[in-house]
Amino acid sequence: MANQSGNAYALALLCPVRAGAPPAGFDGQCQESYAAHLRYVLQSVRVSGDSPMARVPNTYLSRFFLLDDVFYQGSPALEEHLKSSYLVFCCNFHGELEPYLTGMWKTIESEVRLILNHCVGFSDQTVRDAAAFIAYIKKCEIKTTFYFNGSTDQPLAEQLKGLYLKQEFSKFAFENQGRSAREIQEAFGEFIKGTEPENTARPAWKPGVYDLDKVVAK
Amino acid sequence: MSNIAGKAYAMNVITPLKWLTTLRTRLIFWGAGKLPSTTLGLVTLSLIHYARWVILRPKDFPHLGPEQPKEDLQYCYMLFFSNFNGSWDQYVDSFSSTIPTGLDSFWYKNIKYTNSIPMLPFHRYITWNQIWTDNYYNAYPMASTNDVKSAQKVRQNLIDFARSTANATPDDFQRQYNKLLLSLQHDLSQMGLNPVVSLSASAVDRRLGKERRGVS
């Protein structure tokens, strides 16, 4: 299946955005279209370790953007336009679709509602639980024709543990140059105790963090 | 807007193509999926975390109810989404320089596609058809795709080494430790923040600064 490469999944959604403007009082905004307000919301959502996507298990990379129209290529091409704006969500994650979406619903339901309430067919009344959310997403999913995985398809926890170990072992190798065999062996024993390479939970890198001083979850 | 998340750049490109052309393009993608050797150029470039191509027929645009007007399109559309390391210019030029044939076969006969060489018209084609990302999240903004792959190797090697040397004498440990360092010499390096090298990266840096200060 083209949406998958090994254990990595490429999810792509086109969610049609409601036409017109939201009623007064919709999330405190009025006098602008659903699409304009949605763009404001997307640009306000955090992108670092505080991003809601950092709480969704096994998310490697994700993006949101608005597709307002298609581009005219100039004469003699046909000029055509979309009749709706679409919220595009692209995500690369580890695992299968339904468990991933269930995890998303459990961890960031309120943020999902904040975004998808701008879209046709999604409201607090029509989507009440994880099953309805999954059904909605499947209606909006577009199938990937070709998926290229240039990275790995491990669970995110293993990737983050590996990055933590790569960083720490690079320091270890540098700091222990020129020491005696016994000293290196003792230091390595301490290193393994401190870094616990087989324990993916801790210590490891936290997802989405941009700061070397704050990236390690101890 | 933020096309940049640490060391990753999000590219979104949408281009029209005729229905008949999609048949050939789908065949090429099918072949690329069946014969991984055809994408060896992409693997060797080692810039990409994940990339995908989606071909949409007019009827593939989701229609979720009577309140949404049905699309009335003549062309099919190819959507390209990539997560890569480095700058826009580095990425686009790397492809033009190293795998122009592969690129041209993927975009074969897309409307007004210029071919990937010469570079300037190709730059214009991508710029014209690119859409900016509104929100881009990266689980490991301080790592490149090579870092992620190296990290997997480092972890497995460390686990194996710790087991195999648990009862080693210091001299034997030293010998195996030196072998370990030799085998990991391409995988050990310090990661960190990406340098701010463009106005776009500077804008993202200011946005992150606001997040750190708790300003929305």
Side-chain angles (χ1 to χ4, degrees):
Chain A
M1 187 177 167
N3 285 343
Q4 290 173 292
S5 170
N7 293 312
Y9 195 104
L11 175 64
L13 306 178
L14 285 185
C15 306
V17 178
R18 293 174 199 271
F26 178 85
D27 194 29
Q29 302 287 322
C30 59
Q31 305 300 315
E32 60 181 357
S33 68
Y34 278 103
H37 185 243
L38 177 55
R39 180 169 281 122
Y40 166 79
V41 168
L42 295 176
Q43 294 185 2
S44 304
V45 172
R46 296 189 170 217
V47 293
S48 63
D50 295 331
S51 163
M53 294 309 294
R55 303 203 297 274
V56 181
N58 278 317
T59 307
Y60 302 142
L61 295 129
S62 71
R63 75 186 72 175
F64 292 94
F65 68 91
L66 276 178
L67 174 63
D68 285 323
D69 207 349
V70 291
F71 302 113
Y72 174 51
Q73 305 296 313
S75 178
L78 294 171
E79 181 178 350
E80 55 183 8
H81 298 281
L82 294 177
K83 292 187 173 173
S84 298
S85 291
Y86 292 84
L87 166 68
V88 183
F89 174 65
C90 286
C91 182
N92 295 276
F93 63 84
H94 167 88
E96 297 290 331
L97 181 61
E98 291 195 12
Y100 177 76
L101 293 174
T102 303
M104 180 182 282
W105 187 255
K106 280 183 185 166
T107 50
I108 61 165
E109 179 190 337
S110 60
E111 289 88 349
V112 167
R113 288 193 183 283
L114 183 69
I115 293 168
L116 289 182
N117 272 339
H118 295 77
C119 298
V120 175
F122 191 101
S123 69
D124 293 351
Q125 288 72 44
T126 57
V127 180
R128 292 173 181 270
D129 53 26
F133 171 61
I134 292 169
Y136 182 83
I137 293 300
K138 286 188 172 176
K139 283 186 213 165
C140 299
E141 184 178 13
I142 51 175
K143 190 181 170 190
T144 299
T145 310
F146 180 63
Y147 184 28
F148 174 76
N149 179 356
S151 184
T152 79
D153 64 351
Q154 294 174 295
L156 179 65
E158 290 186 23
Q159 288 184 332
L160 292 168
K161 181 72 186 194
L163 290 168
Y164 162 75
L165 285 170
K166 172 176 151 67
Q167 187 83 346
E168 297 305 314
F169 188 60
S170 300
K171 280 187 225 165
F172 177 89
F174 178 75
E175 288 166 357
N176 287 283
Q177 288 183 102
R179 298 177 72 184
S180 71
R182 186 174 296 280
E183 284 172 332
I184 296 175
Q185 189 175 26
E186 284 173 8
F188 187 78
E190 291 303 310
F191 173 81
I192 291 295
K193 266 189 208 161
T195 56
E196 300 182 58
E198 295 190 56
N199 179 1
T200 51
R202 282 168 195 274
W205 273 15
K206 296 180 212 166
V209 175
Y210 280 74
D211 188 337
L212 277 177
D213 294 331
K214 295 178 182 167
V215 73
V216 178
K218 291 181 179 165
Chain B
M1 290 191 238
S2 55
N3 287 339
I4 299 168
K7 290 185 175 162
Y9 185 105
M11 178 178 275
N12 314 303
V13 177
I14 177 165
T15 49
L17 66 169
K18 290 180 178 169
W19 178 82
L20 264 177
T21 310
T22 67
L23 300 179
R24 183 191 181 278
T25 310
R26 282 183 191 280
L27 191 64
I28 288 170
F29 282 130
W30 179 83
K34 293 289 174 194
L35 295 169
S37 59
T38 57
T39 56
L40 204 58
L42 284 175
V43 176
T44 309
L45 272 177
S46 214
L47 291 167
I48 300 174
H49 287 277
Y50 305 94
R52 76 186 83 170
W53 287 258
V54 181
I55 295 174
L56 284 180
R57 296 163 297 181
K59 67 176 185 181
D60 294 330
F61 282 80
H63 184 257
L64 299 189
E67 65 174 293
Q68 179 196 358
K70 280 195 173 170
E71 298 298 348
D72 179 22
L73 300 167
Q74 302 299 308
Y75 289 132
C76 297
Y77 284 86
M78 188 159 86
L79 282 65
F80 171 63
F81 305 113
S82 181
N83 304 273
F84 61 85
N85 302 134
S87 69
W88 189 97
D89 296 273
Q90 286 169 335
Y91 182 65
V92 174
D93 290 352
S94 303
F95 275 75
S96 292
S97 303
T98 55
I99 49 168
T101 311
L103 214 56
D104 293 345
S105 67
F106 282 1
W107 267 273
Y108 175 76
K109 285 207 171 175
N110 274 225
I111 304 294
K112 294 272 185 112
Y113 179 65
T114 58
N115 282 345
S116 54
I117 294 173
M119 286 179 183
L120 196 56
F122 180 59
H123 278 203
R124 287 199 194 110
Y125 179 79
I126 296 294
T127 305
W128 182 257
N129 293 298
Q130 185 177 351
I131 305 171
W132 259 236
T133 299
D134 290 302
N135 187 284
Y136 188 28
Y137 166 77
N138 179 356
Y140 18 76
M142 294 187 287
S144 67
T145 180
N146 281 337
D147 288 325
V148 176
K149 286 180 281 193
S150 287
Q152 181 180 12
K153 188 176 167 190
V154 169
R155 177 167 181 246
Q156 194 53 56
N157 275 257
L158 278 176
I159 290 172
D160 295 343
F161 178 75
R163 284 181 188 157
S164 68
T165 58
N167 300 310
T169 64
D171 286 345
D172 191 32
F173 177 88
Q174 176 84 70
R175 270 192 297 278
Q176 292 196 53
Y177 179 74
N178 290 346
K179 268 191 202 167
L180 174 71
L181 292 186
L182 203 60
S183 71
L184 292 178
Q185 62 182 315
H186 296 299
D187 303 293
L188 296 179
S189 62
Q190 289 285 286
M191 294 166 282
L193 284 173
N194 213 26
V196 177
V197 294
S198 66
L199 292 174
S200 308
S202 171
V204 173
D205 197 47
R206 285 198 300 279
R207 179 175 180 165
L208 289 167
K210 282 185 180 175
E211 290 193 9
R212 278 194 292 273
R213 295 193 301 277
V215 181
S216 56

